[in-house]
Amino acid sequence: MDSSLQVILEALPMLLKGALITFKIVIIALPIAFLIGLISGLMNVSSSRILRALATFYVDIIRGTPLLVQVFFVYFGLPAFLDIRIEAEVAGIIAISLNAGAYISEIFRAGIISINKGQMEAARSLGLSKWLTMRLVILPQAIRRMIPAYVNQFIVSIKDTSLLSVIGINELTQSGEIIISANYRAFEIWGVVGIIYFMIIYALSRLARVFERRYASQ
């Protein structure tokens, strides 16, 4: 036990540093994904066939391919095609943003169409434009309903960052792999990695419930 505790204590600083990188990627990527999802979701419910087709194409492509392939495409494929260099962390943020954005787009679409159509008609009859009706009447209600699904996507994206180890980002999973390659103590290290992921996700889940209760009481 003493040996295991020592291994864990020695590994903890590097693992926590990896956890911070994981959190940094998600904190940057998720607001971008939210914006992408919002725009794509609005395009998906618009009256324009072209906008709907573009949004559907984007969502289908992302949802129809593995995240790992998307990571490789952004990190290796795009730089080769455009003759540029993309840093690993930037590529990771782009891949997570595009991936989560497609799923958030569907969350927005479902949230918007769940609102009774009569509210749109009533607001339009009062003289509000379609855009103002969407911004002031439909979206506020839809976003309240979307909170659980959005938080779930946030949690999924945190787990998905473990795939970024394949392009050399020293996030939590990669940090664990580096430590294990040096000390061969897989049981202790993967156990701590799992506990850190659990603590992050559990804290976010509790925070989400607070927001849900707050919005439900309004």
Side-chain angles (χ1 to χ4, degrees):
M1 281 296 292
D2 291 341
S3 174
S4 294
L5 182 60
Q6 184 177 353
V7 167
I8 291 170
L9 290 175
E10 289 175 353
L12 206 53
M14 186 172 180
L15 291 176
L16 291 177
K17 185 177 179 182
L20 285 175
I21 293 174
T22 292
F23 203 66
K24 171 187 168 186
I25 290 171
V26 173
I27 287 296
I28 295 173
L30 263 293
I32 298 172
F34 186 88
L35 183 60
I36 293 172
L38 172 60
I39 294 170
S40 177
L42 290 173
M43 289 169 62
N44 225 325
V45 297
S46 74
S47 56
S48 168
R49 289 185 179 181
I50 295 175
L51 292 180
R52 289 201 308 271
L54 288 173
T56 301
F57 178 76
Y58 159 64
V59 171
D60 287 348
I61 286 291
I62 295 297
R63 294 176 68 182
T65 55
L67 175 57
L68 187 59
V69 173
Q70 296 163 21
V71 171
F72 282 144
F73 179 78
V74 173
Y75 188 58
F76 296 113
L78 282 180
F81 180 72
L82 300 175
D83 195 24
I84 58 174
R85 184 173 183 273
I86 300 178
E87 296 292 332
E89 277 194 27
V90 174
I93 289 169
I94 292 171
I96 295 292
S97 299
L98 290 174
N99 182 270
Y103 291 93
I104 293 172
S105 172
E106 285 298 281
I107 294 170
F108 266 109
R109 185 185 67 81
I112 290 169
I113 64 176
S114 72
I115 305 301
N116 193 303
K117 290 182 179 179
Q119 297 199 37
M120 172 68 79
E121 295 168 359
R124 294 300 301 276
S125 68
L126 292 174
L128 292 178
S129 67
K130 187 174 182 180
W131 163 243
L132 278 177
T133 301
M134 183 64 70
R135 185 167 67 88
L136 300 177
V137 179
I138 306 299
L139 277 180
Q141 296 179 74
I143 287 173
R144 286 190 188 125
R145 298 184 182 186
M146 287 161 37
I147 290 175
Y150 183 68
V151 171
N152 182 64
Q153 183 56 49
F154 194 96
I155 290 169
V156 169
S157 295
I158 291 176
K159 297 177 184 178
D160 284 345
T161 58
S162 62
L163 293 174
L164 301 182
S165 62
V166 299
I167 57 174
I169 298 177
N170 287 331
E171 42 69 61
L172 182 53
T173 301
Q174 174 77 343
S175 298
E177 290 176 351
I178 292 171
I179 294 169
I180 291 168
S181 68
N183 63 15
Y184 302 102
R185 301 296 290 267
F187 178 81
E188 292 91 339
I189 302 304
W190 287 129
V192 175
V193 168
I195 290 170
I196 293 173
Y197 272 120
F198 173 78
M199 290 173 64
I200 293 172
I201 291 169
Y202 181 76
L204 288 171
S205 299
R206 298 298 298 179
L207 182 62
R209 288 175 188 172
V210 171
F211 279 111
E212 285 180 52
R213 286 196 295 269
R214 180 174 297 177
Y215 277 111
S217 63
Q218 292 181 357

